[in-house]
Amino acid sequence: MNAQDYIASGLLEAYVLGDLPDADVAEVAKAMVQYPEVAAEVAAIEEALLSLGKAAAIQPPPALQDQIWNAIQQQSATTIVADRAEGIPKVIPFNPQTQVRKFTFAKAAVWAALIASALLNLILWNGKKSAEQSAVAYQQQLDTVREGQRALAIALAKYEHEVTMMANPNMHPVVMKTTQKDHPMVAVIYYNSEGTDAYVSLQRLPAAPSGMQYQLWAIADGKPIDLGVIQNDMVKTQGIEKVNKSVPSGQAFAISLEKEGGSPVPTMDKIFVMGKVSS
Amino acid sequence: MPPVANYTEEQLVSLLKQGSRDAFNYLYVNYSAVLYGIINRVIRDEITAQDVLQEAFVKIWNNVAQYDPVKGRIYTWMMNIARNAAIDKLRSKGEIMKGKIQTGEDVVFNIQNSKGTEQLTDAIGLRDIVGALRPDYYKIVDLAYFKGFTLDEISKTLDVPLGTVKTRMRAAIQQLRQHFSN
């Protein structure tokens, strides 16, 4: 068939509508590469159907956007656990600026929340003077607000500490890159060359499935050394956690997915990210 | 929600393959309503339609590595995923026969009258289009695009030869193209 035959046949319309058997789909795809007019015709059909779709569009409820994102995160985690390590690390540029910016934004958000919370306190206090609320109900509200304020203040202190820590020139980051093909994941371990403390930061690890936990390892002299398990809610907030065990100078660091509570040796095909220490 | 940047399709695909949340937001902001519109016309029950929209996005996300831009634009790929997800859902709920028993006449009648009131309000943009096409042309596009009928099923439902369905489909889409270019 030449280009005009394809175009006149109605095959291209069926192709866009998803109505062709696989063999025909392959044939049309080839024709699109072979004949630019065929590709152009397909593009015009697609455009028309998109416009039709837009005319019939219905806004989904706004809450769905976050809900779907969360579902996607859960789903990817399950898929990744089923994969085997393919040994081809994906290179993700590590940008310290982004880190600091992210924390600055988070810090600003925490301040904003603290201020809003203090304002709420004030409003509630004024409310007490004129409202018919019972004293008990008011006290409960105040307690909740105070608790919230305390949590926010703790979070703020944590961010401050993390930014200070990252700025310390004795802190060396080791970027652990993904070992699972097609699944971008990154984590970073910051260890102090004086050997005092170390932190692990999870940029992008999927949520651990229930009953499992991530575990951090140092690899020294070819042997893996357990550095502890990572709390699952920390994975969700993508924060920084202090490593509770002493970190030996190693050749590499890695994170694997183990059953809850960790394992004495890492499960080799569940190693998600790994990074070498540059000498 | 943080502001959504403007991406070329190439940038979007690349970012999606990297798992970027910004890319997800872009997809959602620009395409969720179109996909939801199609799903709602196959499914009709709003709660189920929401489930299907979620399933569709999850499938899209998980399979983006298989999307090949040479074969067509990303909307077409997503649209087929969404529509197939809706049809699978109908099938699994045993309702596939209910949906497909409707003949062409009923379908046009339903669109122009109030078979689903909220759908009709949202479909005001659609009325222009329905008005601009020959009724038998619109019927065929609607069955294939919004109801997920295959050309074969359309041929059997409308009792029209398959070749005729194909020709009419082409003519219908050409009329659509005409309409949108004005």
Side-chain angles (χ1 to χ4, degrees):
Chain A
M1 280 175 80
N2 67 22
Q4 273 315 305
D5 293 336
Y6 275 107
I7 290 172
S9 67
L11 258 182
L12 306 182
E13 283 78 7
Y15 171 83
V16 175
L17 284 165
D19 202 13
L20 286 185
D22 289 345
D24 293 0
V25 166
E27 193 192 324
V28 170
K30 264 204 330 218
M32 284 170 72
V33 171
Q34 194 180 357
Y35 304 112
E37 318 95 286
V38 170
E41 186 73 4
V42 168
I45 296 167
E46 291 183 297
E47 183 69 44
L49 286 180
L50 174 57
S51 300
L52 179 58
K54 283 180 175 170
I58 299 174
Q59 279 300 330
L64 264 187
Q65 185 167 357
D66 281 345
Q67 184 181 311
I68 290 178
W69 174 254
N70 292 334
I72 278 173
Q73 296 300 291
Q74 292 302 317
Q75 189 77 8
S76 320
T78 326
T79 317
I80 285 169
V81 169
D83 283 350
R84 312 200 126 260
E86 303 241 357
I88 302 170
K90 197 155 183 173
V91 177
I92 297 164
F94 172 65
N95 185 351
Q97 281 301 91
T98 319
Q99 276 298 83
V100 177
R101 237 187 294 133
K102 175 172 135 188
F103 277 98
T104 312
F105 177 79
K107 197 168 80 167
V110 170
W111 267 118
L114 257 180
I115 290 169
S117 184
L119 267 175
L120 180 60
N121 230 358
L122 192 63
I123 291 168
L124 279 180
W125 175 249
N126 284 333
K128 187 203 179 189
K129 291 193 173 168
S130 54
E132 288 99 48
Q133 288 177 337
S134 73
V136 171
Y138 170 74
Q139 185 59 36
Q140 279 173 349
Q141 283 181 32
L142 191 57
D143 285 346
T144 314
V145 170
R146 282 211 186 113
E147 207 174 81
Q149 279 181 328
R150 214 183 68 91
L152 287 170
I154 289 172
L156 188 65
K158 179 171 179 269
Y159 289 132
E160 302 264 22
H161 175 69
E162 283 157 3
V163 172
T164 315
M165 184 270 296
M166 284 191 316
N168 179 345
N170 286 326
M171 272 299 191
H172 297 286
V174 175
V175 179
M176 293 179 278
K177 296 173 188 156
T178 187
T179 59
Q180 309 256 346
K181 184 173 169 196
D182 290 331
H183 291 290
M185 293 182 281
V186 154
V188 180
I189 184 163
Y190 299 92
Y191 73 99
N192 190 318
S193 58
E194 286 149 13
T196 49
D197 41 13
Y199 297 80
V200 62
S201 163
L202 308 177
Q203 262 82 7
R204 206 185 274 146
L205 281 182
S210 70
M212 305 195 80
Q213 263 184 311
Y214 288 111
Q215 188 168 356
L216 182 63
W217 306 88
I219 297 164
D221 299 318
K223 288 203 304 230
I225 299 171
D226 171 29
L227 292 180
V229 286
I230 296 168
Q231 297 309 316
N232 280 348
D233 51 4
M234 219 268 290
V235 179
K236 258 190 277 177
T237 58
Q238 299 194 329
I240 284 192
E241 191 176 86
K242 189 162 196 295
V243 179
N244 287 322
K245 307 205 173 171
S246 63
V247 177
S249 54
Q251 292 134 356
F253 293 94
I255 292 181
S256 68
L257 185 66
E258 307 295 338
K259 64 183 195 317
E260 207 165 39
S263 151
V265 287
T267 307
M268 293 317 289
D269 62 349
K270 292 266 180 57
I271 291 182
F272 278 32
V273 289
M274 181 147 80
K276 290 209 180 84
V277 176
S278 49
S279 36
Chain B
M1 276 285 132
V4 178
N6 229 336
Y7 298 122
T8 65
E9 199 149 301
E10 201 183 319
Q11 289 170 327
L12 177 64
V13 173
S14 164
L15 284 167
L16 283 171
K17 289 180 176 177
Q18 292 172 45
S20 151
R21 181 163 193 176
D22 283 344
F24 166 78
N25 287 338
Y26 183 90
L27 258 199
Y28 191 88
V29 163
N30 286 288
Y31 293 112
S32 63
V34 184
L35 298 179
Y36 196 53
I38 292 176
I39 292 170
N40 260 292
R41 280 164 174 80
V42 175
I43 296 276
R44 301 219 165 242
D45 161 46
E46 208 177 335
I47 301 298
T48 314
Q50 289 173 26
D51 288 345
V52 172
L53 183 66
Q54 180 163 311
E55 285 168 22
F57 266 100
V58 169
K59 272 202 189 104
I60 288 166
W61 186 262
N62 288 344
N63 291 298
V64 75
Q66 275 91 53
Y67 163 67
D68 181 359
V70 165
K71 294 204 167 127
R73 60 192 296 176
I74 197 168
Y75 167 70
T76 304
W77 179 74
M78 294 196 296
M79 176 268 284
N80 280 306
I81 289 178
R83 214 187 41 220
N84 289 336
I87 293 164
D88 287 346
K89 187 64 108 183
L90 265 193
R91 194 168 282 139
S92 74
K93 292 193 147 198
E95 287 182 38
I96 197 81
M97 289 323 296
K98 245 194 258 170
K100 292 195 168 176
I101 271 167
Q102 283 184 325
T103 64
E105 311 304 333
D106 288 345
V107 165
V108 175
F109 179 85
N110 289 338
I111 283 170
Q112 290 174 337
N113 301 274
S114 44
K115 175 83 184 189
T117 47
E118 69 274 26
Q119 287 191 16
L120 193 61
T121 328
D122 292 327
I124 285 176
L126 215 45
R127 282 165 138 174
D128 273 350
I129 297 169
V130 174
L133 294 194
R134 266 172 57 165
D136 57 343
Y137 284 1
Y138 186 79
K139 197 183 309 183
I140 290 189
V141 172
D142 178 75
L143 285 175
Y145 190 50
F146 290 125
K147 301 288 184 304
F149 281 59
T150 64
L151 293 178
D152 206 51
E153 285 166 341
I154 294 173
S155 156
K156 295 199 171 88
T157 309
L158 300 184
D159 195 21
V160 160
L162 183 57
T164 312
V165 174
K166 284 189 178 157
T167 330
R168 283 198 196 158
M169 180 69 79
R170 169 155 172 80
I173 292 183
Q174 283 191 303
Q175 269 201 338
L176 266 183
R177 285 159 65 173
Q178 266 279 325
H179 173 81
F180 288 122
S181 65
N182 295 339

